[in-house]
Amino acid sequence: MIRRTACWSKLVQSVRVGSSSSLPTKRLRDHRCFGSGAASNAEQACEASVCSKFGKNEYADVDWDNLGFGLVPTDYMYMMKCSNNGIFEQGQLNRYGNIELSPAAGVLNYGQGIYEGMKAFRNEDGNLLIFRPDQNAMRMKIGSERMCMPSPSLDQFIDAVKQTAQANKCWVPPPGKGSLYIRPLLIGSGPILGLGTSPEYTFLVYASPVRNYFKEGSAPLSIYVEEEYHRSSRGGAGGVKSITNYAPVLKALLRAKSRGFSDVLYLDSVNKKNLEEVSSCNIFIVKGNVISTPATAGTILSGVTRRSIIEIARDHGYQVEERAIPVDELSEADEVFCTGTAVGVAPVGNITYKDKRMEYKTGAQTVCPQLYSTLIGIQTGRIEDKKGWILEID
């Protein structure tokens, strides 16, 4: 589906036209042209030459119409390290590739790691629009505190995301064809044998062009309510985006998919009767003019898309409640939908609980597409951003 063409070679050629005293002249595989110092001669020369050679509307050779949600290696990733002093050093963009870790790295042995996810869209003018990166930066800070890790500052986080998006601009799909999914990752990269905090941390950001998360595309999802396994428990790390949250859901998820379901909806681990969240997204139920979603109280991830949809729904005149939702209310709902960075706003066609299949309204006249239309309109620049949610990059 994808052939790596002149996208990278044009970038290298454009760098070579700059001043030889300010730009690196290493072999291609070691070539680095961006640093995190905004005022550096190297970065200024590289950015100027990339813009002049690449232009706003040149693309990597990708079959955009058949793009899914799988990893497509792009050209650059950003890396920054932090040692025992808790301060992250100046980072830089490197060629995308494998990283080296000690077998005793904290992330490999004790799971000390968190990640974020966000999207960059290309508007009709060719500029990049990144959706609410400040919210992801703040969530990473909260998560890093829970996992006993230092975190980049808000400015460092946003700068790294911005540089990664700029450097991989040719991999951002054309308008209406998807987005560039950006993955910031913070890991304990230093070696440690006994249980404890890592002596070194690595913050990196990579990206991949994506389209629909679910194989159903925009078709309604089929959800199974899981009763045997739980995603998180009180006092745990379910409320932060720890890497340790995700492997435990795989058994239930794979089992549900083998039965033809799209995903799994989890219940609370104490009462086993209240809705929590789906494996990788938050859930909303609609009854009349009231939209309800489980309250985030330490066991549910506070999604950026979730928060945005709540605000958009209220702007549209809906009453939105964040509360405990008994699973029995699923049988009374008119409509159900899921939200998340990867999934966007996805309608749910049916949910199965205790062998009872419940059907829900879907289609153009329902709440879900109305809210999604507003969200994606803001994200892509078709609707004016009056909330300050968009970071625009020329």
Side-chain angles (χ1 to χ4, degrees):
M1 183 178 73
I2 296 159
R3 299 194 311 276
R4 195 172 290 269
T5 59
C7 181
W8 168 247
S9 61
K10 282 186 180 181
L11 184 55
V12 172
Q13 291 168 6
S14 71
V15 170
R16 287 176 177 168
V17 302
S19 167
S20 61
S21 63
S22 62
L23 291 176
T25 56
K26 294 184 179 180
R27 292 178 298 166
L28 174 62
R29 72 182 187 89
D30 294 324
H31 188 89
R32 299 170 182 174
C33 71
F34 286 94
S36 63
S40 70
N41 291 332
E43 180 181 308
Q44 290 177 355
C46 188
E47 285 190 2
S49 58
V50 168
C51 289
S52 63
K53 288 282 184 179
F54 241 177
K56 289 186 175 182
N57 298 311
E58 294 198 35
Y59 296 96
D61 189 9
V62 177
D63 183 0
W64 301 112
D65 291 324
N66 291 305
L67 188 64
F69 200 93
L71 178 65
V72 177
T74 54
D75 293 315
Y76 285 109
M77 64 183 185
Y78 182 97
M79 292 189 66
M80 181 168 59
K81 290 186 179 292
C82 171
S83 56
N84 283 327
N85 61 9
I87 299 174
F88 280 90
E89 64 188 33
Q90 187 178 56
Q92 63 184 5
L93 283 165
N94 305 316
R95 281 298 306 273
Y96 177 90
N98 295 339
I99 62 173
E100 184 175 300
L101 286 174
S102 164
V107 67
L108 298 180
N109 290 263
Y110 300 115
Q112 197 179 23
I114 55 176
Y115 75 91
E116 281 296 327
M118 65 196 71
K119 287 180 176 178
F121 296 84
R122 189 188 295 262
N123 67 11
E124 295 295 340
D125 295 328
N127 294 338
L128 302 188
L129 309 178
I130 303 177
F131 186 69
R132 308 193 76 176
D134 58 317
Q135 296 298 302
N136 295 93
M138 288 188 283
R139 190 169 65 177
M140 175 166 276
K141 180 175 176 57
I142 293 171
S144 65
E145 290 174 353
R146 175 65 179 85
M147 303 300 288
C148 299
M149 308 168 72
S151 66
S153 69
L154 187 145
D155 288 341
Q156 286 176 320
F157 183 100
I158 293 177
D159 180 60
V161 168
K162 181 179 177 181
Q163 287 193 48
T164 304
Q166 283 178 314
N168 294 303
K169 188 170 183 178
C170 67
W171 296 95
V172 182
K177 300 291 186 179
S179 61
L180 185 73
Y181 183 85
I182 303 172
R183 171 62 62 83
L185 180 64
L186 178 62
I187 60 173
S189 52
I192 183 167
L193 188 59
L195 178 59
T197 58
S198 175
E200 177 193 81
Y201 297 89
T202 298
F203 173 71
L204 60 89
V205 185
Y206 65 93
S208 175
V210 299
R211 203 161 187 180
N212 293 318
Y213 180 79
F214 290 105
K215 65 180 178 63
E216 293 88 347
S218 58
L221 306 178
S222 178
I223 304 293
Y224 178 80
V225 177
E226 176 61 42
E227 297 181 83
E228 180 179 0
Y229 299 107
H230 299 284
R231 178 189 166 273
S232 63
S233 59
R234 291 182 185 177
V240 301
K241 211 166 178 64
S242 164
I243 64 173
T244 56
N245 289 342
Y246 294 90
V249 308
L250 292 177
K251 190 172 184 66
L253 178 60
L254 293 175
R255 184 173 62 182
K257 287 189 173 183
S258 71
R259 298 173 179 173
F261 295 99
S262 310
D263 214 324
V264 172
L265 172 59
Y266 294 90
L267 303 178
D268 74 286
S269 61
V270 176
N271 301 307
K272 301 182 181 181
K273 69 174 185 177
N274 293 324
L275 305 185
E276 290 265 289
E277 61 178 288
V278 182
S279 301
S280 59
C281 46
N282 298 114
I283 191 164
F284 289 76
I285 68 171
V286 182
K287 181 68 175 177
N289 195 55
V290 179
I291 301 175
S292 302
T293 190
T296 57
T299 59
I300 299 174
L301 186 68
S302 179
V304 176
T305 307
R306 173 189 180 276
R307 191 178 308 122
S308 304
I309 285 296
I310 288 174
E311 190 167 334
I312 289 171
R314 287 172 175 159
D315 290 344
H316 279 279
Y318 292 99
Q319 177 184 338
V320 182
E321 300 176 345
E322 297 179 73
R323 60 179 176 85
I325 303 176
V327 65
D328 293 339
E329 288 192 25
L330 289 175
S331 62
E332 304 169 1
D334 299 325
E335 186 181 343
V336 178
F337 61 87
C338 298
T339 66
T341 297
V343 307
V345 185
V348 175
N350 62 80
I351 295 179
T352 297
Y353 174 55
K354 292 186 180 297
D355 296 324
K356 177 184 178 183
R357 180 182 169 106
M358 296 163 281
E359 304 280 346
Y360 303 103
K361 295 178 183 178
T362 60
Q365 304 305 313
T366 57
V367 175
C368 176
Q370 178 187 19
L371 300 182
Y372 176 68
S373 178
T374 301
L375 175 69
I376 196 66
I378 295 172
Q379 289 177 327
T380 59
R382 297 197 304 269
I383 294 177
E384 182 184 357
D385 174 27
K386 297 180 180 180
K387 300 177 179 294
W389 285 352
I390 298 297
L391 171 63
E392 183 169 357
I393 304 173
D394 293 332

